[in-house]
Amino acid sequence: MAVWIQAQQLQGDALHQMQSLYGQHFPIEVRHYLSQWIEGQLWDVIDLENPQEEFKAKRLLDSLIQELQNKAEHQVGEDGFLLKIKLGHYASQLKSTYDRCPLELVRCIKHILYTEQRLVREATNVSRISPVGGMMDSMSQKYQQINQAFEELRLMTQDTENDLRKLQHNQEYFIIQYQESLRIQAQLSSLTTLPPADRQLREPALLSKRATVEAWLTREANTLQKYRLDLAEKHQKTLQLLRKQQTIILDDELIQWKRRQQLSWWVLLYLLCEKLAETIWQNRQQIRRAEHLRQQLPIPGPIEELLNELNSTITDIISALVTSTFIIEKHLPATVRLLVGGKLNVHMNPPQVKATIISEQQAKALLKNENTRNDSSGEILNNNCVMEYHQTTGTLSAHFRNMSLKRIKRSDRRGAESVTEEKFTILFESQFSVGGNELVFQVKTLSLPVVVIVHGSQDNNATATVLWDNAFAEPGRVPFLVPDKVLWPQLCDAINMKYKAEVQSNRGLSEENLVFLAQKAFSISSNNPDDYRNMTMTWSQFNRESLPGRNFTFWQWFDGVMELTKKHLKPHWNDGAILGFVNKQQAQDMLMSKPNGTFLLRFSDSEIGGITIAWVAENPNKAGERMVWNLMPYTTKDFSIRSLADRISDLNHLLFLYPDRPKDEVFSKYYTPPLSKAVDGYVKPQIKQVVPEFATANPDPTSGNPTYMDHGASPAPVSHPHTYGIYPPMSDSMLDTDGDFDLDDTMDVARHVEELLRRPVESQWGGQQS
């Protein structure tokens, strides 16, 4: 069911919250009349913090305006005439509002859709599919428990609000009666100036009235004191539940998000933090009002001590809320956000955030509260940024779009640790004023570990360091301790999510693929997945020790496959056209039972980032004998010249993609269109591929005079040794004798630490960009 249909069925406070999402910035009528179109757009694929995405947002804005205009034009009749004018006005209004900042429109609509989804979920307590990415069904039960606690907090806060109003009303009446007692006392004092007869006549009545009022005041003072104590006890219970709820959201869910950074749970978490902030602030205001009432009418008793305790407790809760919700929303380019900034009106005094790069040892000292005020391990340019408030969504964030690392100072490395295993982190610091400068908090947050590299040859190994850390670090660990070995299934989960995120594909690694990888990692031939479940892989096996007979590690080989697929093979992987994780012997066994011309695509065992074609054909040297041939592996360099699909099209001896699909049925949609006819007497040349042993005797006459690229083929029994320079010799003047560097021309963090800050485990492994 469409979200808008469900949203219209909301009632009470939920309906009010939904309606409050709309206004001049985005009229509710636009949501209503374009509901299907709005929910059908891919709002979540646009990176709001990337200015280069603005053209996508502009395209959506133009489409939205066009849809409104089309809807307006189709209105007929008397009512239709008014609606036509109204929709036309909204089209002009939206264009005027967002034409210069189309990303704000995307931000606004994302916020609306997520909030509507949340309200529907709260109302129905049923897992639904989100219009922009999907809420995590596995979180539904936990979310319901959190929501039930919020409902209990809401009722408790409403109860204390009612009690506070009753207390205020009674106290105001008490003060009136107290003033009355003072007036009576003044009248009694004035009797002394009257003649004795008049005084005796009036004094008894005044004395009686004074006694009655004073008795009432004594009784009512005790009642007010009881009301105050009861209210304070209720606040104590509320704050206990608030602490418990805050612990669940901040210490459990927020920490998990910081490790995984999944977009779907992130949005829900943001809304929960806002709800928590709102509830905390309501209770703080109540406690302050209770304190004000006590000051207006001091009554001896324990209430003063209780209120001081409540004030201290709520301040601690707010401090924990602010410091915990100061988070890094995105790592490249860095975006820092205060989740509760809008609710606490922090933007009224816009804070500034400072970024500093620190070492592992400095991070440890920081978490021990040791004095590290001036400690850093380098110099970052453009490391200060003022937080911006977005009115439409109520978010407060700072975007470090142009940070550059100018200098880094490395520490002494331990044992076999290389420069690509040394971890740093970015420390973000700020100061927030809450409640009109009544409360001031110093806040700090650390980025996920980063590795600083100075040469492209280090990128692969640095990425391995960050992946291992992000995947296997325990919450609350000492920076930046990670286990030296992990169970194979744990590693499978990590590299599977990494593969899907990098390739941006829903097709991950199958069980057969993982068995192939296990065989490669452990040099074991078993095809039974159960044989690997209790095996462990060490960090050294992962990316220090070369695979048997190779000069590259397991990770280097896998990363090469991932990069090749991401850059050149993604559509074919998504189509299931690439088996990929198959060795030469397995390919031979699979193909020998198939007709001649059947082929498959597998990743090269011997070359990083290579893919080869294996096919079955007649042995030209022995009549009647068939054999499996393997083409020399293609790499990124080859595909930059001619695509895989075009190469397969060129090879006429390739007929069926394993097991039995005609190759044109699979690949024709990716073929490059044929060149146009010759113009002005010139014939356009073509580049085509040919395998000499299998070249067609009569090439296509319409293809002109092609220039062939020879590509060797080898039968299955033949192997071709290769030599790979994994780390090319470096003669880099930037490096000093200690392996440090100091650049006059600054190095852009977004360029040199790209893979490291951009790819936290599961941050984008759920299919999202950070």
Side-chain angles (χ1 to χ4, degrees):
M1 186 186 298
V3 176
W4 181 241
I5 295 175
Q6 296 173 295
Q8 293 176 78
Q9 298 171 7
L10 295 171
Q11 298 179 355
D13 183 58
L15 179 61
H16 176 73
Q17 289 185 52
M18 186 271 285
Q19 291 172 335
S20 68
L21 294 170
Y22 299 95
Q24 289 186 349
H25 63 282
F26 197 82
I28 195 170
E29 291 88 344
V30 176
R31 176 70 174 101
H32 180 74
Y33 288 104
L34 297 186
S35 60
Q36 187 173 356
W37 182 88
I38 289 172
E39 293 179 29
Q41 305 310 303
L42 299 177
W43 306 101
D44 60 323
V45 303
I46 296 180
D47 181 358
L48 295 175
E49 313 309 337
N50 185 356
Q52 296 180 357
E53 297 276 77
E54 191 167 294
F55 78 97
K56 294 182 183 178
K58 182 64 164 62
R59 193 163 53 198
L60 280 171
L61 170 61
D62 293 341
S63 298
L64 173 66
I65 292 170
Q66 186 61 51
E67 288 291 324
L68 269 178
Q69 292 172 341
N70 292 342
K71 180 68 72 173
E73 290 174 1
H74 287 83
Q75 302 305 315
V76 296
E78 183 177 346
D79 293 336
F81 173 73
L82 295 176
L83 183 58
K84 179 177 182 177
I85 294 175
K86 202 169 190 178
L87 293 179
H89 169 71
Y90 290 148
S92 300
Q93 178 181 315
L94 289 173
K95 182 174 178 60
S96 174
T97 302
Y98 296 110
D99 199 46
R100 294 186 178 181
C101 52
L103 285 172
E104 287 305 307
L105 172 71
V106 177
R107 190 189 305 274
C108 172
I109 294 180
K110 273 188 176 185
H111 176 67
I112 287 171
L113 292 174
Y114 279 129
T115 305
E116 286 178 351
Q117 179 69 20
R118 189 257 302 177
L119 292 171
V120 168
R121 287 170 66 88
E122 287 180 356
T124 61
N125 283 334
V126 175
S127 297
R128 302 288 188 191
I129 300 301
S130 167
V132 275
M135 293 295 183
M136 296 175 64
D137 290 339
S138 61
M139 291 296 185
S140 295
Q141 184 176 0
K142 182 175 289 187
Y143 173 71
Q144 289 176 23
Q145 293 172 350
I146 292 174
N147 192 52
Q148 288 171 1
F150 267 126
E151 178 60 20
E152 186 177 352
L153 280 168
R154 186 189 69 80
L155 294 174
M156 293 171 73
T157 303
Q158 185 60 53
D159 184 39
T160 51
E161 176 66 26
N162 293 336
D163 284 357
L164 187 59
R165 290 176 180 175
K166 182 178 179 181
L167 174 61
Q168 182 175 355
H169 174 77
N170 289 351
Q171 182 167 308
E172 288 172 352
Y173 188 69
F174 180 92
I175 292 173
I176 292 173
Q177 294 303 312
Y178 179 73
Q179 294 295 328
E180 176 66 14
S181 72
L182 294 179
R183 189 180 63 83
I184 294 172
Q185 183 59 44
Q187 289 178 336
L188 284 170
S189 298
S190 67
L191 292 179
T192 58
T193 62
L194 297 178
D198 291 341
R199 185 171 63 187
Q200 290 176 1
L201 181 65
R202 299 177 60 180
E203 188 174 46
L206 287 172
L207 288 173
S208 175
K209 190 174 182 180
R210 185 180 69 175
T212 301
V213 171
E214 287 181 348
W216 183 91
L217 288 173
T218 301
R219 185 174 64 254
E220 191 63 17
N222 291 328
T223 301
L224 286 175
Q225 185 73 306
K226 183 177 184 304
Y227 280 170
R228 289 176 175 180
L229 291 172
D230 289 346
L231 179 61
E233 289 175 359
K234 286 185 177 181
H235 273 130
Q236 284 179 323
K237 292 180 180 178
T238 302
L239 297 190
Q240 287 176 357
L241 183 56
L242 261 178
R243 276 193 183 278
K244 182 179 179 181
Q245 183 81 324
Q246 181 162 282
T247 298
I248 293 171
I249 295 173
L250 301 185
D251 294 353
D252 297 339
E253 303 309 319
L254 187 56
I255 287 177
Q256 288 298 318
W257 174 82
K258 285 179 179 179
R259 292 190 62 226
R260 297 175 179 170
Q261 296 192 334
Q262 291 164 311
L263 176 64
S264 53
W265 183 232
W266 145 254
V267 175
L268 185 56
L269 182 61
Y270 160 61
L271 295 172
L272 290 176
C273 287
E274 280 206 327
K275 203 169 186 178
L276 185 63
E278 187 174 8
T279 306
I280 291 172
W281 197 250
Q282 286 174 349
N283 279 272
R284 180 180 186 271
Q285 295 300 91
Q286 288 184 10
I287 292 169
R288 287 177 59 80
R289 284 161 57 195
E291 171 64 21
H292 181 66
L293 291 176
R294 187 199 67 79
Q295 291 174 352
Q296 276 188 329
L297 183 63
I299 301 175
I303 189 62
E304 182 176 359
E305 183 178 343
L306 278 173
L307 285 174
N308 288 336
E309 183 182 331
L310 288 173
N311 264 313
S312 176
T313 300
I314 199 69
T315 301
D316 288 344
I317 291 175
I318 293 173
S319 177
L321 176 72
V322 172
T323 54
S324 297
T325 56
F326 179 56
I327 56 95
I328 302 169
E329 180 181 355
K330 184 182 174 186
H331 284 76
L332 185 68
T335 298
V336 183
R337 183 168 174 177
L338 180 62
L339 296 180
V340 296
K343 288 294 181 183
L344 299 182
N345 289 325
V346 175
H347 61 281
M348 300 303 291
N349 185 14
Q352 187 175 77
V353 183
K354 178 183 177 182
T356 309
I357 188 165
I358 62 175
S359 67
E360 182 174 332
Q361 292 302 320
Q362 289 164 345
K364 289 178 182 177
L366 182 70
L367 294 185
K368 292 179 181 177
N369 292 321
E370 297 177 5
N371 186 11
T372 59
R373 178 175 296 275
N374 297 317
D375 286 351
S376 71
S377 289
E379 181 181 351
I380 299 177
L381 299 181
N382 302 318
N383 67 329
N384 286 283
C385 186
V386 176
M387 301 194 83
E388 301 172 357
Y389 181 66
H390 301 280
Q391 186 73 37
T392 54
T393 57
T395 59
L396 185 70
S397 56
H399 312 295
F400 291 84
R401 298 183 177 92
N402 301 302
M403 274 202 307
S404 295
L405 183 63
K406 182 179 181 181
R407 181 181 59 83
I408 193 70
K409 179 62 178 176
R410 300 190 184 277
S411 59
D412 295 332
R413 290 181 286 281
R414 299 163 297 208
E417 185 182 79
S418 69
V419 67
T420 57
E421 294 179 27
E422 184 179 5
K423 301 172 190 174
F424 296 88
T425 183
I426 308 297
L427 168 65
F428 294 94
E429 302 175 273
S430 188
Q431 177 176 291
F432 298 144
S433 299
V434 178
N437 294 326
E438 295 173 14
L439 302 173
V440 179
F441 301 105
Q442 302 290 334
V443 295
K444 300 178 181 180
T445 188
L446 295 174
S447 74
L448 293 168
V450 300
V451 177
V452 179
I453 62 175
V454 296
H455 196 280
S457 64
Q458 299 173 329
D459 177 80
N460 180 290
N461 299 303
T463 302
T465 299
V466 173
L467 183 145
W468 189 276
D469 189 283
N470 291 344
F472 308 123
E474 294 295 329
R477 51 88 181 262
V478 175
F480 292 111
L481 294 181
V482 287
D484 183 61
K485 62 182 179 181
V486 295
L487 287 170
W488 174 250
Q490 288 179 278
L491 185 63
C492 288
D493 289 342
I495 61 177
N496 181 41
M497 286 184 288
K498 183 69 170 175
Y499 189 86
K500 288 196 293 184
E502 287 299 303
V503 180
Q504 295 184 337
S505 171
N506 290 325
R507 182 192 171 201
L509 303 176
S510 66
E511 188 171 82
E512 291 78 11
N513 299 155
L514 295 173
V515 167
F516 170 86
L517 292 173
Q519 292 171 341
K520 179 176 286 293
F522 300 112
S523 300
I524 297 175
S525 59
S526 172
N527 290 318
N528 185 356
D530 292 334
D531 291 343
Y532 303 99
R533 297 198 188 283
N534 294 320
M535 297 186 70
T536 59
M537 174 168 265
T538 66
W539 165 249
S540 292
Q541 289 174 300
F542 183 68
N543 197 46
R544 274 187 184 168
E545 302 168 1
S546 295
L547 292 170
R550 308 297 183 196
N551 59 353
F552 48 80
T553 66
F554 172 83
W555 165 254
Q556 288 166 351
W557 181 88
F558 181 79
D559 187 58
V561 164
M562 201 161 52
E563 283 295 301
L564 181 71
T565 307
K566 175 176 70 174
K567 292 178 180 178
H568 300 287
L569 308 178
K570 176 181 174 180
H572 309 304
W573 174 263
N574 288 339
D575 290 346
I578 298 175
L579 290 178
F581 300 95
V582 177
N583 63 38
K584 187 176 286 189
Q585 184 59 53
Q586 290 171 331
Q588 181 171 346
D589 295 341
M590 295 165 69
L591 290 170
M592 285 301 292
S593 62
K594 299 298 177 181
N596 287 344
T598 303
F599 68 98
L600 58 80
L601 297 159
R602 67 178 187 86
F603 298 122
S604 170
D605 282 317
S606 60
E607 184 163 351
I608 291 180
I611 189 169
T612 185
I613 301 175
W615 74 96
V616 62
E618 296 292 336
N619 185 347
N621 300 319
K622 194 169 184 180
E625 181 178 292
R626 300 194 321 147
M627 62 191 304
V628 173
W629 297 73
N630 292 274
L631 208 58
M632 287 182 64
Y634 298 121
T635 63
T636 288
K637 181 179 179 181
D638 298 308
F639 292 135
S640 66
I641 299 171
R642 190 156 176 78
S643 71
L644 175 65
D646 285 340
R647 291 174 182 274
I648 290 173
S649 175
D650 293 341
L651 301 178
N652 294 329
H653 60 278
L654 302 182
L655 304 176
F656 306 101
L657 178 67
Y658 183 88
D660 55 10
R661 298 174 67 188
K663 73 173 184 181
D664 288 344
E665 176 186 302
V666 180
F667 295 100
S668 61
K669 58 185 174 181
Y670 303 112
Y671 294 162
T672 301
L675 296 174
S676 59
K677 299 295 183 180
V679 179
D680 298 331
Y682 290 102
V683 177
K684 293 184 178 181
Q686 292 186 49
I687 293 179
K688 282 199 172 184
Q689 174 181 254
V690 64
V691 178
E693 293 89 338
F694 295 87
T696 304
N698 299 308
D700 184 358
T702 65
S703 63
N705 298 314
T707 300
Y708 288 107
M709 298 189 308
D710 292 345
H711 212 89
S714 64
V718 181
S719 63
H720 296 276
H722 297 274
T723 302
Y724 302 92
I726 303 305
Y727 296 105
M730 285 181 11
S731 172
D732 201 327
S733 60
M734 294 185 296
L735 296 177
D736 61 25
T737 55
D738 297 320
D740 302 325
F741 69 93
D742 191 339
L743 298 182
D744 291 328
D745 297 324
T746 63
M747 297 192 309
D748 194 330
V749 172
R751 178 161 52 88
H752 289 281
V753 198
E754 178 181 357
E755 299 297 333
L756 318 178
L757 288 177
R758 180 169 62 82
R759 310 185 214 164
V761 67
E762 293 189 19
S763 71
Q764 298 171 12
W765 296 5
Q768 192 36 47
Q769 171 68 27
S770 131

